[in-house]
Amino acid sequence: MERHVKASKMLLVALALGCAALVSSDGGAQSVAEPATAAPTADNAVLLTVFLKHDQSRPLSELNAQLERQGFYKAFPPAGVEVVSWYVMMGVGQVVTLRLAASRLREVNRIFETTAWGAYRTEFYPTYDYKAVGLGNHDKALQ
């Protein structure tokens, strides 16, 4: 239970840092920020699951050409952001899970805004790693 509370507190800190970075940014026209050097650590890492939903009214070749023109694969993933998984979900598009420092959330968001929009509609889900806690609870329940 204590591990779950600690994990929850870590998530809240990470999300608060990410929100603070978003709130402190200017709301007008923005340029793409210089890549941050913050690496994810146990006390600042957040997982971010991104749904990249294909525009099914257009053929895949058009979508890929647009992504190429907009520089998506040059910009994504940025250095220092770990790709935990990257799957194609048939009928939907792609699902990417990233591990990053919370302070880099804005940078990653801007990459999607400037290079993926048009070919994809995006949905973002901040998450945290619960595997150790869930398996620990399972093991404890079996004793």
Side-chain angles (χ1 to χ4, degrees):
M1 182 67 158
E2 184 176 312
R3 292 174 96 185
H4 176 66
V5 171
K6 185 176 181 180
S8 295
K9 286 181 181 180
M10 288 174 24
L11 174 64
L12 289 174
V13 168
L15 290 175
L17 288 171
C19 289
L22 290 171
V23 170
S24 66
S25 67
D26 62 13
Q30 301 169 347
S31 61
V32 176
E34 290 298 315
T37 58
T41 62
D43 64 340
N44 77 359
V46 64
L47 293 172
L48 181 65
T49 300
V50 182
F51 278 62
L52 299 168
K53 295 184 172 186
H54 292 130
D55 177 353
Q56 294 183 8
S57 69
R58 298 169 51 205
L60 184 59
S61 59
E62 280 185 23
L63 299 175
N64 286 333
Q66 181 174 358
L67 292 169
E68 182 70 28
R69 280 192 313 274
Q70 293 174 183
F72 177 71
Y73 291 109
K74 286 182 181 179
F76 183 80
V81 171
E82 177 187 353
V83 176
V84 175
S85 64
W86 193 337
Y87 294 100
V88 169
M89 184 181 292
M90 292 171 54
V92 175
Q94 298 179 28
V95 180
V96 183
T97 300
L98 307 170
R99 180 177 289 112
L100 61 143
S103 62
R104 299 194 62 194
L105 187 61
R106 178 180 185 268
E107 172 193 355
V108 170
N109 181 57
R110 293 288 293 149
I111 288 171
F112 286 110
E113 289 176 341
T114 59
T115 67
W117 283 7
Y120 296 116
R121 286 176 292 118
T122 55
E123 293 180 15
F124 298 87
Y125 300 94
T127 58
Y128 60 96
D129 189 347
Y130 191 73
K131 182 179 177 180
V133 175
L135 291 176
N137 289 341
H138 173 74
D139 292 344
K140 186 176 177 181
L142 293 176
Q143 295 175 358

